[in-house]
Each structure stands twice: as C-alpha cells, then as structure tokens.
Amino acid sequence: MTRLITSSQAIERRRARVRGQVQGVGFRPFVFRLATRLGLHGHVGNDGDGVFLEVQGRHDAMAEFVAALRDEAPPMARMDDVQWTELPELPEIEDFHIVPTPATQQAPTAEVTVDAAICQDCLREMRDLNDPRYGYGLINCMHCGPRFSIIRTIPYDRPNTTMAGFAMCGRCASQYALPSDRRFHAQPIACPHCGPRVALVGKDGKPLPGEPIIEAAKLLMMGRVLAIKGLGGFHLAARARDVEAVRRLRRLKHRDHKPLAVMCPDLGNVRKLVRLSQCAQTEMLSPVCPIVLVPRLADADVAHEVAPGQHRLGVMLPYTPLQHLLFDMGQRLMLGGLGPLVMTSANQSDEPLVISNEEALTRLGQADLCDAILWHDRPIERGVDDSVILDMQGGEPLPIRRARGYVPSRLTLPVTSSAPGLCVGGELKNTVAVVREDHAILSQHLGDLKHPQALANFKRTISDMRNLFQVDPAWIACDLHPAYLSTQYAKELAEKQGLKLIPVQHHHAHAAAVMAEHHTSGPVLAVVCDGVGYGDDGQAWGGEVLLATLTGYRRLGHLEPLLLPGGDAAARDTRRCALALLHQALGEAFDQHELTRSLFPDDAERQVMANLIRRNLHCVTSSAAGRVFDGFAALLGLATYNHYEAQAGMRLESEAHAASDRSSQPLFDLTTGEVMTISFAPLVRRLLRPHRGTAGDLAFMLHDQMAQAFDAALALAADRTGIHTVALTGGVFCNQLLTRLLTQRLLDRGMTVLRHRQVPPNDGGLALGQAAVAAAIMQTTSRSSSSDAASSQSRVAREPFACA
C-alpha cells in the first residue's frame, strides 16, 4: 500500500547567509534553540561575513523556523539581509549544532556589535544574595555588556577580545557550553572567581583599604571627585547636589562653563529633575542608554553649576553593573542615597578619553584630576564616549553625539561605491568612516582635532577602523577647507598611498548626510545652518539654501554676509558678531550707537574694531547663521563670549524657551535675485527701539524671524525648481525651537521635511555625507569609460547643475 506524503511532511534542506548585527548578540544560541525546538537538523556558525546556517526538516517546521527567525530574534540582533538557498536533502544528518568559526583568508564583512547597557536579568542576579555573581561589578550575558569596546578583530570570539587573558572557571565554562543558558557563547562571560576584578586605588595607584565600592560611595558622600572606569573609558564623578564638589570638578577638569551630564539611579529620580517625555523614557531604558537632553524642572535639586544658563539637563541612567552597585551602596549607607551624580568624561577639555589603567594614573591621578580611582582590570580596546540625544518633545529624538550603543552599526547609502573608501570628516566634533559597497561604518565621536592628543587619536582611529573592518581604501574623501587638519591628513595619505582624493564642500556634505539617512539621491532643497564652512568661493558659509543631489549642488540663497573683525576670534568674542550686525543695520555710523559703546566700553578698542569693519581689514566675510545667533546673544546681553562651541546660541534658545510662543510680522529683507539673500537688519533695528521687550521675547522673536525668512526663501525656491522636499541640517538645527518653528511652516505649505534620525546635524554627521557624495562619484566614475570624465569627478561635487 502506498502512503500519501502531504506537502507539510515533505523534507526540505536550506542554507542561509545572515548579515547585520548578528554576532555577539546571542544569535547562534537563538538559532540553535529554535531549530532544536522544531526538530530540525543542521548547524549554525559565525564567520567573517556574519552568520551562516543550514537546516533540514519537514516543510511545516521549516516554514515556522523562517518566520520565527525574523519575529523572535534576540533583542540586540538586527538582520539587514537574509539570503536563502535551496539544497538537496541529505539522507543522514546529525542533530542541530553550533560549529566552530572557520579560518579564512577573506576580508571580513561581518558587522561588529555595539556595547549594551546591563540587562534586567543580570541586574537581578547581581542583587541576589544567593547568586554566584552577587555584587559582581562586571556581570554580563549574551544580551548586554561590552562588545565594540573590547573586540580586537572579527569574528567576535573570546580569543579576539580583551577577555582573551581571562580563562573561564568550571561554572562559567559550563554555562558558556550549555545551549539553554543565557550565557551560552557569551564571549565576555566572567564571574568573581575567574573574571576581571574591581579595585579602589589612590592617585598613586596603591589600593585603598576596605571594600572598593563601599569606600568609593563614602568618598562621594564626603564631596570627593572619583574617576570611575566604564565601558568605553573613565568618568569623573561627583555628587550633583554638592555645590563645592561640582565647582571643584570643574576646576580640576578646566571646564568652567560647559554643561555636565547627570546620572540618576532610576527613572523616579530622573523625573524629579526633568520633564520626561515617553520617547525620552524609552531611549533611557534602551540598551543604548544615552545621555538625553530634556527640559529641567524649576525645582530640580542639582547645583546651578551643573548646567549654568541652560533650560535643559543632560540625564542618563546607570548602564554598567559597577555604576548600579555604586548607587545601591549609597542607598545602604545614607538615607536618600548618593542622589544624582555628575558623570563626565575623565579627561581635560579637548583631550581624548582615558581608557587604560596606566593612563588613568598619569592623566588623572598624577595630574590631580581626581581623589581616587575606581577601576577594574578588563582592558578597553578603544575609547567610546557616551552618546547624546535631544528629546524633541514630540517626534523622534535628535542625535547630538553618536557613540556608545550606536557605533559601529553600519549605515546604508543610497548608492553603491565601485571601490572601498575612507572619509575623514571635519575638524570639530570629528568622526571618520570607512565605506564598502553600499554602506558606511562611522566611528565613534572623536571630538575636536586641534589638540595634539586628539589628532593622534584621530589617526589611531582611522588605522583601527581600517584594520578592524579590513578596508583597503581606493579613495579618500575630505572637507574642502584647506586648513582643516583632517583635510591635510587626507591629502598627505592620498599622495603617499596613491589614493583618489575627493574633496566635498562642507554644506553639501551636511545635505548629503540627511539624504543618505532617508535613502534618497535627491534632488532636495537643503537648508544648511552652522557656524562655519568653507564655500567654493573661498568665503565662510553657514546660512545656506542649496539645491542638492549627491553628485552636485547649486547655491540658491544665503544669509547676507557679515564682516567679522578678527575672523575666527569672532566665533569666541560674540561682541564682534554684534558689531557686524549693527554695521549691517545702521551703516557707517554704527559705532556711534550707545549699544556699541555698551559692548565695547573702551574707546580705543571700539575704534579699532569699527575701523577693521569699515576698511574690511582682517575681516572674514561670513553668511553663517551661527554667527547671527552669537551676535544677537551679545546684543541682548545674554552672552558676550563663547567659552564652548554654540554657548551663545544655546543661551538664546534657553531664554526663548520661557517666552510666549507668538509669531511676529516679518522683520527681514529677502532679495529675490538669481541667488537670494536674507538680511536681518530690520530685526536689529527693532531691537534698538526703546521699550523693546524682555530678552526672552526678543530671543523668541529671532527664532521666529529665522524660521519665517527661510520659509519664504524655500517657498520661492520651490516655485523656481519644482522641488518640494526640504532637508534641514547643520549644527544650528540642534536648536529644537528653530527646528520646530521652521518644520511646522514647511509642513503647512505641504512640503516634505527630512530631518536627522541616525547621525547628528552638526559636524558629527559630515563623514556620512562625505561617504554618500564620494560613493555617488565613484559609481559615476565606474560607469564612465572616459579618462577625462574620471579625472573630473573630484570636482563635480561642488559644481552647479541644471534643475527643473
């Protein structure tokens, strides 16, 4: 008798290649458990390209496996691409198993997993008196802990990490080998018996008596400043309510004005300090656990010195076991606990992060930056700063600094590059990127390159990225500014290694970064507002309306240029920007106005500045929106000096935050020639009237007028070009109020607005924009058989193009 075999009983065999964030996130154990549960046979493994697997079994079980692979993947897993191949059935096949990582000579393409905040399971175990890892400050599992900060090479296996020197004890080894355990194949697995140890040492590196975490909590209660080792570097910590402790930390760090981040033990304590939206809460509880910038409450119990002159606080939750233990111990020692802690990077301003214990002794202990050091002996392979996002109080949060928890996730480009490449970013808020095919891998935030140690770290990071991802670039993209240290490095490297050099104009790169995030090649209308960028005419740009694609752009409009006396000095001394605004509004008699005398009480200094502007001597011509904000902050008496980048602009936004949200009549001039110009001379003259209003009302008025002016310019640009998609980018769009006002006006016009979601609008996003532009150029070059076309590609990125 013949037995009928239904389609659900038919045996199938398939092979899959899975790419994305699938190493170091429990993906292989997940596949193992899933296949075992469904009675499937085969294997799964890691290699330099991601995860490979083969499965064989009944058709219905295979269908369930494919669906569950997508729907039940581990929390940190992200599958970007799954390619299935049908295979002939094998008559005999073993049970499902995890296979060793094969040796290969091919360059790895697997994605490196991000570092993740401690998960709730590990947190519960760490607080359980009966658990073997009770009180262990380096507990982790497959769902949390270090990844990017400890990996040395791909694939992600323990011998390829900084945990290679720690042999697993019997208990850890058995958990590592047990498929049903949460630590199955968790590479950083450790416990108090076999793993790294926590210690509290003095500034000289000698151990201090007592239990380390108890004694560290006591020191913080006494108002001391501690250096604490985290996932990607050391922090300096002090009690945020202790005015003298915060002041002392600022003196030690030489950071007198810039806001400091605050770490709270839990969400309940966060809500006592800030007005937390649901979106911000979600981000804080995520594995990224970033610093979130949110409006502070009027009665927030932290020292004024934490964030002077700002309406926001940067708050975060503990994300390492050690940080949680410190707060737990504080709660045991004192009613109310430690309270919020200032938690800022343990380095002097503009220096790279401190990551090794040896560095901590020399750069922190011997330099008297702290009173004691709470560290462990698990090495950090590379410095990774805390990520920062801005709560937009509605809508997706805005990245401000992209680092821990986000890096090095790959970002998909709208085009595919014909050859691998390297992008070196700008000079401030630097990040770099490597490019392979249709994706870019951005580095962590590196900071400002003017400090020699920061520049050295920039070069190390480029070497690290090239080695880790095994990218041998055929081209290198850089900013157009000839004086940028990153540009000079790119030129030297291109000449030395015979690489194709692709300079990308600063604001075009900003526009391209937004386009890349939204996976479009354009054309778009881009409003690019920042402090400075080298224009293709050699002038300083920064308040631009561009018509842009990835391979070209045309300048449609800009702010009326200001004559800034002393050039770069005006970016710090905001009075000079105010003087330039007065000259634009009042003409040659500008220095006779009483406000000019108020800004420059010294007659000789005032006369020198006025003559520099009148004669255009030692002046930089700048259309930058950032300098307009600086000038208005000085005119309103809010900030006459930028002690850190964008301080005056942030002060203006904070002042406007409390003002009435009321639009005013247009107080700007818009010239409508072939290239439009926007002048705020009428607004300046309005500020000079008697009874002009409160500083808050006037600060709001500037934001409103800036939004109105760009809205009017974009309406005209849309009529001329037929393009109704607008990209908002540049550091000025870290300003939530301006972004909200302009976005709403554009939406009311029926326009589509593209904003940043993955990289910052500031210069931290330049490398992505350079990657998108360069990839498009390389794609165009590969399609051209003409050597003349190929040689011209490095110029096409800043040449105008025809539009509808």
Side-chain angles (χ1 to χ4, degrees):
M1 179 178 177
T2 302
R3 184 169 63 90
L4 178 66
I5 298 177
T6 67
S7 60
S8 65
Q9 295 172 321
I11 301 299
E12 297 179 2
R13 180 167 170 248
R14 298 185 191 179
R15 174 185 297 140
R17 161 64 62 189
V18 186
R19 297 180 177 89
Q21 187 169 286
V22 290
Q23 291 192 6
V25 295
F27 195 80
R28 288 179 299 171
F30 156 69
V31 172
F32 175 91
R33 289 190 291 269
L34 177 61
T36 302
R37 185 183 85 201
L38 296 174
L40 298 173
H41 306 278
H43 61 261
V44 63
N46 277 349
D47 63 12
D49 199 26
V51 166
F52 61 90
L53 61 93
E54 288 188 17
V55 285
Q56 178 170 308
R58 290 171 30 145
H59 172 79
D60 53 352
M62 290 286 283
E64 188 174 347
F65 177 84
V66 172
L69 195 68
R70 178 188 64 246
D71 299 335
E72 300 176 19
M76 289 179 62
R78 192 192 72 249
M79 291 181 288
D80 295 332
D81 180 43
V82 183
Q83 296 179 351
W84 291 97
T85 305
E86 298 288 342
L87 298 173
E89 176 188 348
L90 291 178
E92 294 183 9
I93 190 168
E94 299 177 357
D95 291 337
F96 203 91
H97 59 283
I98 295 177
V99 298
T101 301
T104 179
Q105 299 301 314
Q106 293 182 333
T109 59
E111 187 166 338
V112 174
T113 303
V114 301
D115 299 311
I118 183 173
C119 68
Q120 290 302 307
D121 288 329
C122 282
L123 195 58
R124 183 174 58 253
E125 290 173 350
M126 188 186 72
R127 289 170 171 166
D128 183 353
L129 281 167
N130 298 314
D131 192 278
R133 291 183 178 84
Y134 170 72
Y136 184 49
L138 292 143
I139 190 172
N140 66 82
C141 73
M142 190 52 75
H143 303 311
C144 67
R147 300 292 191 274
F148 179 54
S149 59
I150 64 169
I151 189 171
R152 287 175 170 152
T153 186
I154 297 173
Y156 177 69
D157 290 317
R158 192 179 181 98
N160 295 336
T161 73
T162 62
M163 286 295 293
F166 296 92
M168 285 183 273
C169 66
R171 180 188 289 110
C172 285
S174 64
Q175 290 180 319
Y176 183 88
L178 185 63
S180 60
D181 197 279
R182 200 175 78 254
R183 294 185 174 88
F184 182 43
H185 282 245
Q187 306 306 331
I189 186 174
C191 74
H193 301 289
C194 66
R197 304 289 178 88
V198 174
L200 180 68
V201 301
K203 293 187 291 185
D204 56 2
K206 295 180 180 179
L208 297 179
E211 199 284 324
I213 297 173
I214 293 176
E215 297 306 316
K218 288 179 179 178
L219 288 173
L220 287 169
M221 289 176 183
M222 295 166 59
R224 302 292 192 266
V225 174
L226 256 62
I228 302 173
K229 194 172 185 179
L231 273 179
F234 282 78
H235 287 103
L236 289 180
R239 294 188 71 204
R241 294 170 181 161
D242 189 328
V243 174
E244 288 306 315
V246 176
R247 287 175 179 170
R248 182 162 175 264
L249 186 152
R250 284 194 175 277
R251 287 196 301 270
L252 295 174
K253 189 176 166 69
H254 300 295
R255 183 170 170 171
D256 296 331
H257 301 273
K258 195 172 183 179
L260 300 166
V262 170
M263 180 178 283
C264 295
D266 51 46
L267 275 178
N269 279 276
V270 171
R271 293 192 186 97
K272 295 176 182 178
L273 303 181
V274 296
R275 190 170 71 249
L276 201 61
S277 70
Q278 183 59 49
C279 183
Q281 176 176 312
T282 300
E283 293 298 324
M284 294 187 77
L285 293 173
S286 75
V288 177
C289 200
I291 297 170
V292 184
L293 302 175
V294 280
R296 67 189 296 167
L297 299 176
D299 59 350
D301 189 12
V302 295
H304 169 77
E305 287 78 3
V306 168
Q310 300 302 316
H311 72 288
R312 294 190 184 94
L313 279 177
V315 292
M316 60 176 162
L317 293 174
Y319 56 85
T320 71
L322 192 57
Q323 292 163 356
H324 277 282
L325 287 172
L326 197 58
F327 279 112
D328 289 352
M329 195 55 63
Q331 190 66 41
R332 294 180 196 175
L333 293 174
M334 182 174 69
L335 184 64
L338 291 172
L341 294 177
V342 167
M343 198 70 75
T344 185
S345 57
N347 56 318
Q348 295 200 27
S349 295
D350 298 327
E351 289 184 0
L353 294 172
V354 174
I355 63 172
S356 72
N357 293 359
E358 294 74 20
E359 273 190 306
L361 287 179
T362 56
R363 291 176 54 192
L364 303 178
Q366 295 173 15
D368 288 327
L369 258 73
C370 62
D371 297 304
I373 306 171
L374 184 64
W375 66 20
H376 53 76
D377 56 350
R378 182 181 68 207
I380 297 173
E381 182 67 11
R382 60 189 57 80
V384 187
D385 215 333
D386 293 320
S387 291
V388 181
I389 62 173
L390 173 63
D391 180 17
M392 297 298 283
Q393 298 289 300
E396 295 184 70
L398 183 72
I400 301 297
R401 184 170 73 200
R402 187 175 183 270
R404 177 184 50 77
Y406 296 111
V407 170
S409 296
R410 64 178 62 179
L411 299 171
T412 304
L413 300 173
V415 294
T416 299
S417 176
S418 61
L422 169 67
C423 306
V424 298
E427 182 143 298
L428 304 178
K429 296 179 171 60
N430 180 267
T431 60
V432 300
V434 292
V435 175
R436 287 190 308 213
E437 298 179 347
D438 66 343
H439 64 269
I441 303 172
L442 265 65
S443 75
Q444 63 274 30
H445 167 84
L446 301 178
D448 303 347
L449 301 185
K450 292 181 180 179
H451 194 286
Q453 289 187 36
L455 182 61
N457 186 49
F458 159 81
K459 295 176 181 178
R460 279 195 304 271
T461 301
I462 288 175
S463 177
D464 179 40
M465 296 279 286
R466 290 179 62 174
N467 292 334
L468 183 61
F469 299 104
Q470 296 201 9
V471 171
D472 186 16
W475 52 266
I476 183 167
C478 63
D479 196 271
L480 196 60
H481 201 307
Y484 276 4
L485 294 172
S486 57
T487 299
Q488 294 171 9
Y489 171 83
K491 290 179 177 178
E492 292 169 5
L493 189 66
E495 183 176 353
K496 182 179 178 181
Q497 299 187 5
L499 308 180
K500 180 182 179 67
L501 183 68
I502 305 178
V504 182
Q505 198 277 329
H506 190 89
H507 302 98
H508 185 208
H510 273 306
V514 187
M515 293 162 67
E517 286 191 48
H518 292 268
H519 212 70
T520 177
S521 297
V524 301
L525 299 174
V527 182
V528 192
C529 293
D530 60 8
V532 66
Y534 192 81
D536 56 33
D537 58 0
Q539 301 297 318
W541 292 7
E544 311 303 313
V545 178
L546 305 179
L547 175 59
T549 67
L550 292 183
T551 55
Y553 70 92
R554 181 147 59 94
R555 196 183 194 194
L556 301 182
H558 56 83
L559 298 185
E560 182 74 25
L562 297 172
L563 282 177
L564 301 178
D568 286 348
R572 298 182 296 275
D573 184 354
T574 63
R575 300 175 305 161
R576 301 179 188 222
C577 300
L579 204 61
L581 284 170
L582 290 170
H583 174 252
Q584 194 175 81
L586 302 178
E588 294 304 309
F590 71 102
D591 59 327
Q592 301 304 311
H593 194 278
E594 63 182 55
L595 189 51
T596 307
R597 297 178 181 276
S598 175
L599 291 168
F600 293 92
D602 183 82
D603 291 340
E605 184 184 16
R606 183 174 64 256
Q607 193 62 42
V608 167
M609 291 295 168
N611 286 336
L612 290 178
I613 291 176
R614 282 200 184 93
R615 300 174 186 177
N616 194 9
L617 293 173
H618 304 295
C619 287
V620 167
T621 302
S622 170
S623 61
R627 301 291 80 83
V628 173
F629 273 89
D630 287 347
F632 272 90
L635 289 174
L636 296 180
L638 298 175
T640 58
Y641 196 86
N642 275 322
H643 295 90
Y644 56 90
E645 189 185 10
Q647 180 183 3
M650 291 167 65
R651 185 72 184 87
L652 261 178
E653 186 187 3
S654 290
E655 196 71 23
H657 176 74
S660 57
D661 196 340
R662 184 175 63 250
S663 184
S664 54
Q665 293 298 312
L667 290 168
F668 58 87
D669 292 328
L670 174 63
T671 61
T672 57
E674 182 178 350
V675 178
M676 298 174 286
T677 59
I678 299 167
S679 170
F680 291 107
L683 178 59
V684 174
R685 290 191 288 269
R686 166 68 178 80
L687 298 186
L688 301 181
R689 294 180 189 172
H691 314 295
R692 60 184 188 176
T694 67
D697 288 339
L698 295 173
F700 180 86
M701 185 182 293
L702 169 63
H703 288 77
D704 177 57
Q705 292 297 318
M706 187 79 74
Q708 286 193 50
F710 277 111
D711 173 55
L714 287 164
L716 184 57
D719 287 342
R720 291 176 173 179
T721 64
I723 307 300
H724 292 84
T725 298
V726 179
L728 304 182
T729 184
V732 168
F733 284 106
C734 293
N735 184 313
Q736 179 195 353
L737 176 59
L738 175 64
T739 302
R740 175 174 65 82
L741 293 174
L742 180 53
T743 297
Q744 190 57 57
R745 286 182 175 276
L746 296 174
L747 293 176
D748 289 345
R749 286 188 184 277
M751 291 186 172
T752 299
V753 180
L754 308 182
R755 299 193 331 211
H756 286 278
R757 301 176 302 189
Q758 296 175 297
V759 300
N762 58 43
D763 286 5
L766 282 178
L768 176 61
Q770 291 171 356
V773 170
I777 288 173
M778 292 303 296
Q779 185 183 74
T780 305
T781 301
S782 68
R783 292 173 179 170
S784 172
S785 59
S786 166
S787 60
D788 289 339
S791 65
S792 69
Q793 291 307 308
S794 63
R795 297 190 302 272
V796 74
R798 58 181 187 273
E799 290 177 350
F801 60 92
C803 59

